[in-house]
């Protein structure tokens, strides 16, 4: 799920090589609340970990910075759902966390076996 519209979600998914995966646009952040994802603390959003990623991002090629979409304080999370159950999850401690999405999917139990 993401806070933008479908086009913005497609662009975001494309950056991480998962653009063929299903996604949900949630600009009102209702599902974020349902999944227990609230606002981040000052350190989660503007802490050392997040600030340390900024120079690396700027030096890694063309700028990838974009105008934020939605609430910049909203903490992200990644959830793998199968048959209506959460089978794997990653909750960010910092906005700088970069989970391995493919490894998360690979680690998810088979259908019908929630985490």
């Amino acid at each position: 799920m993401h806070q933008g519209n479908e086009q913005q979600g497609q662009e975001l998914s494309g950056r991480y090589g998962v653009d063929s995966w299903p996604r949900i646009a949630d600009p009102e952040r209702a599902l974020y609340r349902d999944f227990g994802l609230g606002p981040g603390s000052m350190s989660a959003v503007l802490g050392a970990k997040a600030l340390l990623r900024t120079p690396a991002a700027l030096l890694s090629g063309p700028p990838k910075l974009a105008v934020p979409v939605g609430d910049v304080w909203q903490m992200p999370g990644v959830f793998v759902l199968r048959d209506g159950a959460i089978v794997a999850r990653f909750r960010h401690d910092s906005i700088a966390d970069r989970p391995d999405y493919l490894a998360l999917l690979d680690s998810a139990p088979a259908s019908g076996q929630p985490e």
Side-chain angles (χ1 to χ4, degrees):
M1 70 187 152
H2 55 88
Q3 295 183 57
N5 61 37
E6 182 51 33
Q7 179 181 348
Q8 292 164 325
Q10 179 77 26
E11 292 168 5
L12 180 65
S13 301
R15 280 189 230 156
Y16 297 102
V18 295
D19 49 328
S20 64
W21 293 9
R23 68 193 152 273
I24 300 169
D26 186 20
E28 290 80 30
R29 300 187 332 273
L31 284 175
Y32 283 85
R33 289 187 294 278
D34 289 346
F35 280 82
L37 300 171
S41 65
M42 185 73 75
S43 64
V45 178
L46 297 173
K49 189 174 182 180
L51 295 177
L52 287 172
R53 284 189 59 81
T54 303
L58 293 174
L59 296 173
S60 67
K64 297 174 186 165
L65 302 175
V67 175
V69 173
D71 182 352
V72 297
W73 294 98
Q74 175 64 60
M75 289 301 289
V78 181
F79 299 86
V80 178
L81 304 173
R82 288 200 182 117
D83 299 325
I86 298 171
V87 295
R89 73 178 77 205
F90 180 91
R91 292 180 188 266
H92 292 65
D93 292 322
S94 164
I95 62 167
D97 290 342
R98 294 294 179 257
D100 183 333
Y101 298 111
L102 297 177
L104 184 67
L105 184 62
D106 289 342
S107 73
S111 182
Q113 299 175 352
E115 66 171 354

